[in-house]
Amino acid sequence: MKRYFICFLAIMSITACTQKNVFFQDWDTPYGIPPYDKIKVSDYIPAIKEGIRLQQAAIDAITANPDAPTFENTIAPLELSGIALEKVSGVLFNVSETDRSDALDKVVEEALPLLSAHEDNIAFNKALYERVAAVYKSDQSGLTAEQKTVLKNHFEEFEREGIGLPEESQERLREINAELASKCQKIGTNILAESNAFKEKFGFSVSAYPEKMTSTADRALRRQYLEAYTMRGHNGGENDNRSLAVEVLKLRLEKARILGYETSAAYELSDKMAHDPATVDSFLEGIMKASTAKAAREVAEMQEIMDADIAEGKLPEGSRIEPWDWWYYAERVRTAKYALDDDAIRPYFHMDSVRNGIFTEAKMLYDVNVEPVKDAPVYSPGNVQTWKLSYGDGSLIGIFTTDYLPRSSKRGGAWMNNVRSQYIAADGTEVRPIIVNVGNLAEYMNVDQVQTAFHEFGHALHGFLTRCTYPSVSGTGVKRDFVETFSQINEHWAFEPGLLALYAKNDRNEVIPQELVDKINASLMFNMGFMTTELCAASMLDMKLHEVTDFEGFDIDAFEAALAKEIGLNPEIGYRYRTTYFNHIFSSGYNAGYYGYLWSEVLDRDLFSRFEASPRGVFDKELATEFKRTFLEKGGSEDPMELFKSFMGREPDNAAFLRGRGLVE
């Protein structure tokens, strides 16, 4: 069954006899924002146990119903059965990733087995399955498109999780699921510890690694940075992830085999758009061939500059571009080609200015108004800001929290979390979402960080603008290889001149000069061979790890090296993520799914081509309204390919993707 504590992204008040635990109370806060200042670490586990009890009671009521199964008496209450549990898990898993502590780590370690067992109790509930199956096999003509999708998802998820297996197989699956939850959490904790150790050693966070590699002239020091960065989780001791990663991969393979699949990749892809590993492998191979060729041309350009350094006596004869040289010499090429200096750009992209930019874009496209929520409770005072989003008629869209700056208690990367999702409650009222964007960005951002902010707000808009009835398909509740479409398309507006003129201003309120705007846009396809190759290689590593059929004597280092040779990875480029710190595939649900960034990019660039072709320009509000109604409002309630074809009038075309990444001449 779907992991209910992360799938039913919605919150409602828990009714319970005790009033001491904050999760058992109605929250007298603006818009139902969690009262972070009142939540104690000791509140979480009792609240999780109560949420589990309440959901199980709701399911027992469904299965005990003597009436013939219908959507309204089976599927609808099943959709809302996990709402109480989400009130606590929505807070816990957000705070544990952004403001962790040893005490919170212990809570999560205790919570995961409880949640895993609870999810398995639902997945293997035969009485519940029989009611769901009866509805699925009955006449569906009276159901809406959203109801049909929700019903299909529940039925197929029972099948995927092993409802038809013998009891001994189900018991083994329970053990595997519990072990996976625990081990994946440990991998994530180890990655954070290794990243903090990196910062302690060098004085800057892993999120600042690209910037440091770009600006550090000392070649030996760059090599130290790269070796420390790529050895995270690979240094021995208690934070070493090598054996843990292999154990997780073995368990995933065993689970897939029990469920009737040859590999864990085949299992994971069975409910995705791509559907099978062969489709993904072919898709990635085509991109890799083009990107490595472009990267080789980029190496040649960098080598010319390195040769000049050799001629000036700055480097020894015979020096060649190595992985620790790429960022530095790529920046030298960029400066020479576009005369674009990060130090000249950053003053116009202060964190507050960029945030104003994403809000302005939302207004221009979707008529979204934004205002700060004063005195809102936050989980990390001084680091977190809260905003109210509404339409022109005053109707609430949702509550938005931004948490942009790095700190040692926050895991690396950037992401969007639903603390509460949009859905229609049992009494017919609409619950509006509470969403957080988290990043590890600089106070004054470079081009990549600006794109990251727009990317994560694209996810947020997907969650905010949805108008679904059922929580499992609301907002970002879409197929994993479709979800990045809406974050990535939002990046395309970031550097549009009309928008930059409104938000890209320095501390003297001066608008970014047109000369810099032109340079930024001219440079956006720069270094795309490297960036595409790095991303594609990581996607292929993810896929191939999950296509292994025998882990006897498996060695991660040997596997990574052999794969790099097999896929033709340029020797000057390493994997974006090595296995031991590939958090996406161990702790973020992207196992056999990291390819989704590239898969979605084919779709998002194709979709954006309609905006580019609009005679009213890329801020065509009428077209944006059509886009919102077709995609954002519908969440995962309809088949993604059918939605795509209804908007574009055809099948996807990868021409815009190839042009956008400079992979065609």
Side-chain angles (χ1 to χ4, degrees):
M1 209 60 189
K2 285 185 177 178
R3 305 292 94 180
Y4 277 87
F5 75 97
I6 59 174
C7 268
F8 288 164
L9 297 172
I11 298 175
M12 67 181 292
S13 297
I14 298 175
T15 303
C17 58
T18 176
Q19 294 298 309
K20 293 182 179 180
N21 189 311
V22 69
F23 290 104
F24 300 155
Q25 303 170 16
D26 291 328
W27 289 345
D28 185 20
T29 57
Y31 311 103
I33 297 170
Y36 295 105
D37 53 333
K38 296 180 181 178
I39 296 172
K40 301 188 294 291
V41 172
S42 59
D43 289 335
Y44 287 113
I45 293 301
I48 285 173
K49 290 179 178 178
E50 178 65 4
I52 289 172
R53 186 192 70 79
L54 288 171
Q55 185 169 24
Q56 188 58 57
I59 290 172
D60 290 344
I62 294 171
T63 58
N65 190 336
D67 296 337
T70 65
F71 189 95
E72 292 303 324
N73 69 19
T74 300
I75 307 302
L78 177 58
E79 277 285 307
L80 297 179
S81 64
I83 298 302
L85 184 54
E86 274 306 311
K87 186 171 185 178
V88 55
S89 60
V91 174
L92 172 60
F93 290 101
N94 180 61
V95 175
S96 66
E97 291 182 320
T98 56
D99 219 31
R100 70 151 296 278
S101 64
D102 291 344
L104 268 178
D105 285 349
K106 291 178 181 177
V107 167
V108 172
E109 289 171 10
E110 184 176 355
L112 288 174
L114 296 174
L115 292 165
S116 179
H118 174 57
E119 291 157 0
D120 288 335
N121 288 339
I122 298 171
F124 302 134
N125 188 323
K126 191 171 183 180
L128 179 61
Y129 166 71
E130 288 173 349
R131 288 189 69 91
V132 171
V135 180
Y136 183 73
K137 295 172 183 178
S138 66
D139 180 14
Q140 297 184 22
S141 60
L143 300 181
T144 66
E146 180 180 352
Q147 288 173 328
K148 289 178 182 178
T149 299
V150 169
L151 174 57
K152 180 175 182 287
N153 290 348
H154 280 292
F155 175 75
E156 292 182 349
E157 200 64 30
F158 269 112
E159 300 280 315
R160 274 175 51 78
E161 291 296 325
I163 190 65
L165 294 174
E167 187 173 334
E168 59 269 22
S169 296
Q170 291 183 353
E171 284 304 311
R172 178 55 187 153
L173 285 176
R174 286 176 180 271
E175 294 171 354
I176 290 172
N177 290 336
E179 287 187 66
L180 283 173
S182 175
K183 291 180 187 299
C184 286
Q185 172 65 21
K186 176 60 174 170
I187 287 174
T189 301
N190 288 350
I191 293 171
L192 179 59
E194 289 280 276
S195 297
N196 285 339
F198 178 97
K199 181 178 180 180
E200 184 176 346
K201 180 176 181 178
F202 294 112
F204 62 92
S205 68
V206 294
S207 62
Y209 171 78
E211 179 185 352
K212 283 292 184 180
M213 293 295 283
T214 296
S215 61
T216 300
D218 186 329
R219 193 182 192 208
L221 188 55
R222 291 199 306 269
R223 183 171 185 170
Q224 290 180 43
Y225 292 163
L226 179 137
E227 290 176 348
Y229 183 88
T230 57
M231 288 296 287
R232 285 175 295 150
H234 204 291
N235 294 307
E238 61 181 1
N239 296 324
D240 195 296
N241 277 337
R242 280 172 288 186
S243 61
L244 268 175
V246 175
E247 288 167 18
V248 166
L249 293 167
K250 284 181 179 178
L251 289 168
R252 286 175 174 169
L253 176 60
E254 183 183 355
K255 178 176 179 176
R257 291 278 175 80
I258 292 172
L259 292 166
Y261 295 86
E262 183 181 2
T263 65
S264 56
Y267 169 68
E268 292 298 336
L269 287 163
S270 63
D271 69 341
K272 306 299 188 297
M273 287 184 75
H275 190 67
D276 58 70
T279 299
V280 176
D281 290 341
S282 177
F283 170 73
L284 293 174
E285 285 165 10
I287 295 173
M288 193 69 173
K289 184 177 180 180
S291 68
T292 53
K294 183 170 179 60
R297 295 193 294 273
E298 292 170 353
V299 170
E301 289 183 311
M302 291 187 289
Q303 188 63 49
E304 289 180 10
I305 295 181
M306 179 176 273
D307 288 345
D309 286 348
I310 294 171
E312 293 177 17
K314 295 178 181 178
L315 293 173
E317 288 290 337
S319 295
R320 308 296 297 174
I321 296 293
E322 300 286 354
W324 50 88
D325 296 315
W326 194 294
W327 289 99
Y328 179 75
Y329 279 95
E331 179 62 17
R332 299 265 304 270
V333 172
R334 186 176 74 126
T335 301
K337 270 192 168 185
Y338 306 105
L340 187 60
D341 181 1
D342 265 357
D343 290 338
I345 294 170
R346 287 180 184 275
Y348 297 97
F349 295 111
H350 186 272
M351 181 181 71
D352 293 339
S353 298
V354 174
R355 184 164 44 211
N356 181 55
I358 65 176
F359 293 161
T360 302
E361 176 221 19
K363 176 64 175 178
M364 294 172 71
L365 290 172
Y366 308 116
D367 199 29
V368 172
N369 297 313
V370 183
E371 59 185 283
V373 180
K374 296 179 180 179
D375 301 321
V378 295
Y379 56 84
S380 184
N383 294 308
V384 174
Q385 293 78 37
T386 304
W387 314 84
K388 172 189 173 184
L389 276 60
S390 61
Y391 286 117
D393 62 4
S395 58
L396 179 67
I397 295 174
I399 300 300
F400 182 52
T401 294
T402 58
D403 181 0
Y404 284 153
L405 296 174
R407 55 183 178 275
S408 61
S409 62
K410 183 194 294 185
R411 73 170 173 87
W415 64 94
M416 166 267 204
N417 270 342
N418 279 295
V419 176
R420 181 178 73 202
S421 179
Q422 178 272 339
Y423 68 100
I424 304 298
D427 63 2
T429 60
E430 184 178 20
V431 176
R432 296 307 303 169
I434 298 174
I435 293 172
V436 59
N437 270 181
V438 183
N440 286 272
L441 308 173
E443 184 177 1
Y444 288 89
M445 301 184 192
N446 61 22
V447 169
D448 289 342
Q449 291 172 332
V450 173
Q451 288 176 311
T452 296
F454 274 80
H455 177 104
E456 297 307 333
F457 192 62
H459 281 309
L461 285 172
H462 199 186
F464 280 128
L465 301 183
T466 184
R467 301 306 295 260
C468 292
T469 298
Y470 305 100
S472 68
V473 294
S474 175
T476 55
V478 302
K479 293 183 184 297
R480 177 66 75 170
D481 49 6
F482 190 50
V483 72
E484 298 298 335
T485 303
F486 306 102
S487 56
Q488 291 175 172
I489 197 172
N490 205 58
E491 295 179 38
H492 294 306
W493 282 280
F495 300 113
E496 283 296 323
L499 183 61
L500 285 170
L502 299 175
Y503 85 87
K505 301 178 182 179
N506 63 20
D507 294 341
R508 296 186 298 276
N509 205 36
E510 297 168 337
V511 176
I512 187 170
Q514 186 62 44
E515 179 187 7
L516 280 182
V517 174
D518 293 341
K519 290 177 179 179
I520 289 172
N521 282 294
S523 70
L524 288 179
M525 284 197 299
F526 174 71
N527 207 32
M528 274 296 181
F530 168 81
M531 295 175 68
T532 308
T533 298
E534 194 187 43
L535 175 57
C536 194
S539 301
M540 297 175 98
L541 175 61
D542 167 36
M543 285 299 301
K544 295 306 181 183
L545 284 170
H546 291 96
E547 290 176 13
V548 172
T549 57
D550 183 2
F551 284 97
E552 184 67 32
F554 185 80
D555 181 270
I556 285 176
D557 292 343
F559 183 85
E560 290 178 351
L563 180 61
K565 185 175 181 180
E566 177 188 335
I567 65 179
L569 180 59
N570 310 66
E572 303 87 359
I573 303 176
Y575 293 104
R576 172 174 288 193
Y577 303 107
R578 293 188 66 193
T579 307
T580 54
Y581 57 91
F582 206 159
N583 200 62
H584 283 79
I585 68 173
F586 291 113
S587 301
S588 299
Y590 278 85
N591 41 309
Y594 194 67
Y595 75 92
Y597 286 95
L598 288 166
W599 182 276
S600 292
E601 189 175 339
V602 171
L603 302 178
D604 83 66
R605 286 188 182 271
D606 201 7
L607 289 168
F608 190 68
S609 70
R610 262 200 78 185
F611 287 90
E612 291 177 306
S614 170
R616 292 180 289 271
V618 296
F619 286 98
D620 183 341
K621 187 167 282 190
E622 182 178 322
L623 184 57
T625 298
E626 181 187 349
F627 180 82
K628 179 179 73 168
R629 289 174 178 169
T630 303
F631 296 108
L632 303 180
E633 289 186 354
K634 291 183 179 178
S637 65
E638 296 185 31
D639 179 78
M641 189 55 72
E642 293 306 312
L643 293 179
F644 181 95
K645 289 189 290 187
S646 74
F647 186 79
M648 296 298 292
R650 58 169 172 75
E651 298 279 348
D653 182 352
N654 69 356
F657 168 80
L658 295 173
R659 287 194 308 272
R661 284 197 169 254
L663 300 182
V664 290
E665 295 297 333

